[in-house]
Amino acid sequence: MIKYQSDLASELTTTLSTLEAASERFAARHPGEPASRQPVHVVYGGAHLFSRNSAAKLGELALRSLDSYAPDPFTFARALGLPGSSELTSDEAAAKSLYITDPDALRRDDPNTWLAIAVYDRVRGKLETEPVEDFRLDFEDGYGNRPDDEEDATAVGAAQEVAAGMSAGTLPPFCGIRIKPLEGALLVRSLRTLDLFVSTVVRATGALPNNFVVTLPKISVPEQVTTLVRAFEVLERRHGLAPGSMKLELMIELAHGLYDERGQLLLPQLLTAAEGRCVAAHFGTYDFTASYGVTAAHQRMDHPACDFALDLMKAAFAETGVFLSDGATNVMPVPLHRGGDLTSEQTRDNRAAVHAAWHLCHRHIRRSLTRGYYQGWDLHPAQLPIRYAACYAFFLESFEPAAKRLRNFIDQAAKATLVGDVFDDAATGQGLLNYFLRALGCGAVSLEEIEVTGLTEAELQMRSFVQILAGRRVS
């Protein structure tokens, strides 16, 4: 064999140094998926309506809706259109009994029925223990434009309720506020609300809530993001908060805010302007479609205009560590007729209306999940059961084959392996791990169930496929 030695690289020293610097910048901007938990939703509610017990109250209302319109797993599954819901067993009592005594047998022999019961059981458990994962006190669309003294009072009052919730331990694991846009006549008002809210909370508790974030809407230029960052710096200095501790969330909701005047995509510029403080980017379905020229009758989550914007967001924020969120279904699952003395026809109408809204909501959420959007908005407590049901079904229905693939992959110590007709490579290993981390994070599965993959709790906490394999090689 002829050995060939090249000194080409030695003649490209300057070029290679430039390449190395560019690669380092790219790696710094694209650190990959964050290790922190991403909530599966954010509930938006007017700041004037928030109380320290809002999360618990929403959970109670969600359970009431579930009990009223789907008191059993089979009704629920059929209303949503869960996978296999048209093939459920007719012997519901026997299936429920088997789910309790031998769930593995039911899962093996009748996976559709098992899925319906498992989803319903886990949804109820979630609503009873942690009904809301993320809550945004809204000073924008959900609050409106009010006299300054009224918004001042709301900002202080809402902050006092948040502080009380911090002390009582009743806040959701994630929370924040949405301020008004930083533009025109609203600019000063928005900054004042931010100041009053943050100052009130910190003076009462000495800190902001865990995972606190400020949502910036209607962004049209990077300078709006820069302004919010500068405001954060002032508030941090004033109240002794750690530098960089205040985080922001971008709202992508203007068609004319996707590109700048030079035709360059604006989204990466917004991330740069955030100076490391951006933790999420949320899509505003209805403001965006309105700005896109879509008429009200056709403003919906699955409109092609939304797909265009969501794809741009995926590309712009890929591997940057920024969590992405889709929007909300705006058809509320509420009854048509009110009152306690309803006719049988009115009762049927109510049930049909709620089930239709549930089905639409489930379809929208599932579509978001398949597009890689693992978070969305919820606007009504009766949407909460659907949010969790969609997430749980999405992960549970493919749990067993994914677990088998991951276990085989790990056992082979990162060597490619073939399971059935699916070929895994190293990148897929991390993808499979991310699947289980998201399934665990949203409550679809438990640590005990994930043991089937061969992973330990300590390994899961690493959140890195490469680190898991390195640890196993050492041991």
Side-chain angles (χ1 to χ4, degrees):
M1 179 181 294
I2 299 175
K3 294 184 178 180
Y4 177 75
Q5 295 181 341
S6 172
D7 62 352
L8 180 58
S10 64
E11 298 183 40
L12 297 173
T13 303
T14 301
T15 299
L16 295 181
S17 295
T18 302
L19 172 59
E20 183 178 4
S23 298
E24 290 175 354
R25 291 195 301 273
F26 181 87
R29 189 176 179 86
H30 299 88
E33 289 286 323
S36 56
R37 168 190 175 187
Q38 179 179 12
V40 301
H41 71 166
V42 56
V43 176
Y44 270 79
H48 57 300
L49 302 175
F50 182 81
S51 78
R52 68 198 72 182
N53 298 316
S54 282
K57 290 178 181 178
L58 288 170
E60 292 170 2
L61 292 171
L63 282 168
R64 188 183 306 171
S65 175
L66 193 61
D67 290 337
S68 297
Y69 299 106
D72 64 83
F74 305 92
T75 301
F76 191 55
R78 294 186 182 104
L80 270 60
L82 289 184
S85 59
S86 62
E87 303 170 5
L88 300 179
T89 180
S90 58
D91 193 345
E92 297 178 3
K96 291 179 182 177
S97 177
L98 187 58
Y99 180 79
I100 295 172
T101 60
D102 194 353
D104 291 338
L106 180 63
R107 188 173 195 171
R108 180 187 64 247
D109 298 335
D110 191 351
N112 294 328
T113 298
W114 175 88
L115 180 66
I117 299 175
V119 166
Y120 192 80
D121 183 57
R122 296 176 200 213
V123 166
R124 291 196 67 91
K126 179 70 170 179
L127 294 175
E128 291 168 355
T129 56
E130 190 186 73
V132 177
E133 294 192 0
D134 192 4
F135 194 97
R136 202 68 72 248
L137 288 75
D138 193 10
F139 287 93
E140 199 215 5
D141 291 342
Y143 182 74
N145 295 325
R146 305 183 183 215
D148 282 339
D149 57 349
E150 184 175 349
E151 184 159 341
D152 286 352
T154 299
V156 172
Q160 290 171 339
E161 286 298 310
V162 168
M166 292 171 65
S167 299
T170 57
L171 294 183
F174 299 81
C175 73
I177 62 172
R178 177 165 71 169
I179 58 177
K180 289 179 168 60
L182 295 181
E183 62 180 11
L186 297 176
L187 172 59
V188 174
R189 175 66 263 176
S190 183
L191 292 175
R192 180 171 175 80
T193 296
L194 173 66
D195 186 4
L196 285 170
F197 185 92
V198 170
S199 298
T200 301
V201 172
V202 175
R203 286 169 185 159
T205 66
L208 290 170
N210 292 332
N211 302 308
F212 179 80
V213 67
V214 177
T215 306
L216 180 59
K218 308 291 191 299
I219 305 171
S220 55
V221 292
E223 287 77 7
Q224 291 168 315
V225 181
T226 302
T227 299
L228 186 57
V229 170
R230 298 286 88 80
F232 284 175
E233 292 172 345
V234 172
L235 291 171
E236 287 167 351
R237 288 195 301 269
R238 183 189 298 170
H239 298 295
L241 301 173
S245 60
M246 293 187 67
K247 304 299 182 182
L248 63 86
E249 179 174 85
L250 307 170
M251 287 216 65
I252 310 304
E253 51 185 339
L254 298 177
H256 49 288
L258 292 177
Y259 294 91
D260 65 15
E261 65 275 11
R262 298 181 299 277
Q264 296 178 341
L265 187 62
L266 191 66
L267 306 185
Q269 300 176 49
L270 302 182
L271 184 58
T272 298
E275 299 178 17
R277 294 177 183 264
C278 179
V279 296
H282 287 212
F283 181 61
T285 304
Y286 304 100
D287 280 299
F288 182 84
T289 48
S291 70
Y292 207 81
V294 178
T295 59
H298 298 285
Q299 288 180 279
R300 61 182 192 274
M301 286 184 65
D302 55 358
H303 192 282
C306 297
D307 291 342
F308 166 66
L310 290 167
D311 285 343
L312 285 180
M313 288 173 63
K314 266 292 185 182
F317 297 115
E319 297 296 311
T320 62
V322 172
F323 286 136
L324 299 181
S325 174
D326 205 344
T329 301
N330 66 344
V331 178
M332 299 297 104
V334 296
L336 300 175
H337 310 287
R338 306 291 179 135
D341 188 21
L342 300 178
T343 66
S344 58
E345 183 178 359
Q346 289 174 325
T347 300
R348 286 194 300 270
D349 287 345
N350 284 350
R351 181 185 175 97
V354 170
H355 284 191
W358 276 356
H359 190 276
L360 177 65
C361 185
H362 176 261
R363 181 166 62 82
H364 284 165
I365 295 171
R366 187 172 179 86
R367 189 173 188 270
S368 297
L369 290 168
T370 59
R371 291 174 57 84
Y373 276 80
Y374 298 101
Q375 184 177 1
W377 291 16
D378 290 321
L379 304 176
H380 192 278
Q383 290 180 322
L384 298 181
I386 316 311
R387 172 69 55 184
Y388 297 123
C391 290
Y392 297 170
F394 180 79
F395 289 106
L396 286 174
E397 66 191 66
S398 56
F399 179 84
E400 290 186 349
K404 183 178 180 181
R405 290 172 65 193
L406 182 59
R407 185 178 189 108
N408 283 354
F409 201 80
I410 292 176
D411 288 345
Q412 292 295 324
K415 294 181 181 178
T417 185
L418 191 65
V419 179
D421 60 351
V422 179
F423 185 75
D424 287 317
D425 58 18
T428 302
Q430 184 63 45
L432 285 168
L433 178 61
N434 290 341
Y435 163 88
F436 287 102
L437 289 171
R438 288 192 178 277
L440 181 64
C442 78
V445 300
S446 65
L447 281 170
E448 292 74 17
E449 289 173 304
I450 289 184
E451 288 178 357
V452 71
T453 65
L455 292 173
T456 67
E457 182 177 357
E459 287 176 329
L460 280 169
Q461 291 175 348
M462 293 180 185
R463 306 184 72 92
S464 167
F465 186 73
V466 173
Q467 290 183 18
I468 291 172
L469 294 182
R472 292 199 171 197
R473 283 195 293 269
V474 171
S475 60

